[in-house]
Amino acid sequence: MWTRLLRPAADEGGPPDAVLTLTAIILLLRPFEIWWIAPFVLAAACLSLVFRPVRRAPATWLLVSALVAARIVVVWPLSDNHIYLLAYWCLAIGLALSDPRPAATLSASSRWLLGAAFAMAVVWKAVLSPDYVDGRFFRVTLLTDERFADAALVFGGLSHQQMVENRTFLEPLPEGAALLNPPDFVEPPRLRAFATLATWGGLLLEALIALLCLIPAGGRIELARLAALLAFCVTTYALAPVAGFGWLIATMGLAHCPANQPRWRGAFIAVFVLILLYSEIPWTGVLADWTGR
Amino acid sequence: MKTERDRTDACARVSWRTLLPVALLVGVAIAQVTLARTAGLSPWKGGGFGMFSTTDDAGRRHVRIFVSAADRSEEMAIVPSLEDAARRAAVLPADTELSRLARRVVDREARYQRPIDTVRIEAWRIDYAPGTLAATTRLLREFVYRVDAAAAPRR
């Protein structure tokens, strides 16, 4: 049993090396801050990048999964959701590598994990959060979250001064209180349209991905699933400041690509790099400067 | 007609190795929804994938801490040594997190040899009105930690 967990999975029927390599890169790009967890995760990621037997050994990924889970417990309840997904994904890799059909097992795991994660995201947005479907979430977030500010200026048609005044307007008052002279709130039609597009575009795309992932079918459904995942990554992570989630989705999509579809595999690797560029290049800020916003 | 890969994929679907990770995801997500509904957990946290679904995120929550004793009653600033516990209590204003924060406050006051009988913690969030987006703060939870009562079971 234990020796089997240390034995590297064979190439024949095994998951593509790129999936394991990209997962190790994710661990290096977003290291954990807990001193007794981070060094071991980083060491496992480095060793798995350098040594193929380490990369393809189930024990490596089961250990990393346990360390990521420990981090979630230690900082409870502050971990972001992609850390949970990372723990499940590393567990899925470890279990798949110890299976007689590693590639097929990991492909099925990635589909189920993506389907369940997107389904929960849709349930929260469409059912459990009253301030999402009425547009409040994006109307407020585009104005108050500094990470979306440049996009609000460029695509929403706001000026810097209007942004400042709107932020003052959105400062909370004690319950029941009201100002004698409240500041103006300026919401150009373009900004309202941008918030509506983000609200419904995001929800519909996530619902489509959940549906396509939870339908256990191959053929055209499988290709539609991959296309929807790529579309989600290309559009969402251009603005959403959560590259860690995007890298995971791209890597899980890659694991789900059929072996005889090198173009799809290449597309997911390209999207992984694109999300890296999105996260490091403040392109909406550059656009805001160019357009004088 | 099914390909070889489809058949192996179908076999893998029923394998416990495929189901275990997703079963964990669903189990944690159900627990997260339950905690969000019953204990005030922020939908953004807890592994339920509720991020970017609501304005009720960690940045729009805060706690206020009030300490009192025989000759004092005052609001305490959230000093750096309390920030982590305060953040956790704001995100999940349940007894466990609020008690943890209160114990940190008691320990800190003891270090500075200041008397303390009671720690009162308020957890707040920001609401935005539908339509107008007028922002108000709303009390999520008020929690009182009595130092003597907390110490009694340990004796």
Side-chain angles (χ1 to χ4, degrees):
Chain A
M1 165 72 180
W2 296 109
T3 52
R4 202 173 69 187
L5 294 180
L6 296 170
R7 194 181 310 144
D11 282 340
E12 185 68 26
D17 245 4
V19 171
L20 309 178
T21 304
L22 289 183
T23 306
I25 290 173
I26 292 171
L27 296 171
L28 292 175
L29 286 172
R30 288 287 185 272
F32 308 127
E33 61 270 21
I34 307 296
W35 71 265
W36 55 269
I37 294 176
F40 300 104
V41 173
L42 293 174
C46 287
L47 291 172
S48 67
L49 283 176
V50 176
F51 299 111
R52 193 178 165 285
V54 176
R55 185 162 65 241
R56 298 185 79 82
T60 303
W61 300 100
L62 295 176
L63 174 69
V64 170
S65 175
L67 288 169
V68 177
R71 192 264 192 190
I72 290 169
V73 171
V74 169
V75 304
W76 169 258
L78 299 179
S79 286
D80 289 331
N81 288 296
H82 67 275
I83 304 297
Y84 291 81
L85 192 59
L86 180 61
Y88 305 136
W89 178 237
C90 291
L91 174 64
I93 293 174
L95 293 173
L97 290 174
S98 64
D99 191 271
R101 296 175 304 274
T105 302
L106 193 59
S107 171
S109 282
S110 73
R111 182 172 65 74
W112 282 115
L113 284 173
L114 286 168
F118 275 91
M120 283 309 304
V122 169
V123 167
W124 266 112
K125 289 182 173 78
V127 182
L128 298 174
S129 300
D131 57 346
Y132 185 85
V133 286
D134 69 7
R136 258 179 295 169
F137 170 70
F138 270 113
R139 288 176 68 202
V140 170
T141 300
L142 289 174
L143 295 170
T144 56
D145 190 329
E146 194 54 49
R147 301 169 301 178
F148 288 97
D150 289 325
L153 296 175
V154 173
F155 302 118
L158 272 183
S159 67
H160 269 291
Q161 184 58 32
Q162 288 169 330
M163 176 71 87
V164 170
E165 286 170 4
N166 283 351
R167 286 181 174 175
T168 306
F169 175 87
L170 292 170
E171 287 287 318
L173 298 171
E175 198 169 20
L179 292 175
L180 273 177
N181 297 305
D184 288 334
F185 181 68
V186 181
E187 195 176 33
R190 265 172 63 191
L191 182 65
R192 192 68 182 257
F194 183 38
T196 304
L197 179 69
T199 299
W200 288 103
L203 180 58
L204 292 175
L205 191 51
E206 287 183 14
L208 180 67
I209 292 172
L211 190 67
L212 291 169
C213 286
L214 294 176
I215 296 173
R220 287 184 182 171
I221 295 283
E222 185 170 64
L223 296 183
R225 190 183 297 145
L226 297 174
L229 283 170
L230 286 172
F232 180 81
C233 289
V234 169
T235 54
T236 302
Y237 298 105
L239 299 176
V242 277
F245 225 123
W247 291 325
L248 262 179
I249 293 172
T251 305
M252 294 165 80
L254 175 65
H256 190 60
C257 283
N260 59 354
Q261 299 278 359
R263 284 185 185 170
W264 286 100
R265 292 190 170 197
F268 276 100
I269 293 170
V271 158
F272 187 100
V273 176
L274 180 66
I275 294 168
L276 187 71
L277 298 179
Y278 281 155
S279 73
E280 297 300 320
I281 300 172
W283 68 274
T284 51
V286 173
L287 264 183
D289 288 343
W290 281 354
T291 55
R293 289 286 173 190
Chain B
M1 191 179 127
K2 285 198 164 193
T3 64
E4 181 59 31
R5 184 178 179 281
D6 290 332
R7 278 193 292 275
T8 51
D9 192 33
C11 291
R13 272 202 303 276
V14 295
S15 158
W16 68 270
R17 289 184 174 93
T18 305
L19 294 179
L20 180 60
V22 75
L24 281 172
L25 185 154
V26 172
V28 170
I30 290 171
Q32 187 261 2
V33 172
T34 307
L35 279 175
R37 290 310 209 198
T38 60
L41 173 66
S42 165
W44 281 65
K45 301 292 184 183
F49 299 94
M51 64 286 174
F52 294 99
S53 71
T54 171
T55 54
D56 184 17
D57 59 17
R60 291 184 177 87
R61 286 186 175 202
H62 68 280
V63 292
R64 298 178 68 185
I65 303 171
F66 303 86
V67 293
S68 59
D71 56 351
R72 65 186 291 222
S73 177
E74 60 193 83
E75 181 171 1
M76 257 185 90
I78 310 287
V79 295
S81 63
L82 296 175
E83 275 176 1
D84 179 64
R87 216 165 35 235
R88 294 179 197 228
V91 167
L92 176 57
D95 285 359
T96 48
E97 301 302 331
L98 292 165
S99 296
R100 183 208 304 255
L101 174 59
R103 284 195 298 273
R104 294 270 170 89
V105 171
V106 171
D107 291 346
R108 184 172 189 278
E109 294 302 285
R111 277 201 303 279
Y112 288 97
Q113 298 180 328
R114 290 192 284 249
I116 181 165
D117 291 340
T118 304
V119 181
R120 184 166 62 85
I121 302 171
E122 295 176 352
W124 292 82
R125 62 164 285 189
I126 301 174
D127 279 332
Y128 298 94
T132 66
L133 300 186
T136 52
T137 54
R138 177 160 62 89
L139 183 64
L140 280 175
R141 175 101 196 265
E142 188 177 39
F143 177 80
V144 177
Y145 183 90
R146 295 182 205 288
V147 177
D148 286 346
R154 286 200 288 269
R155 282 201 292 265

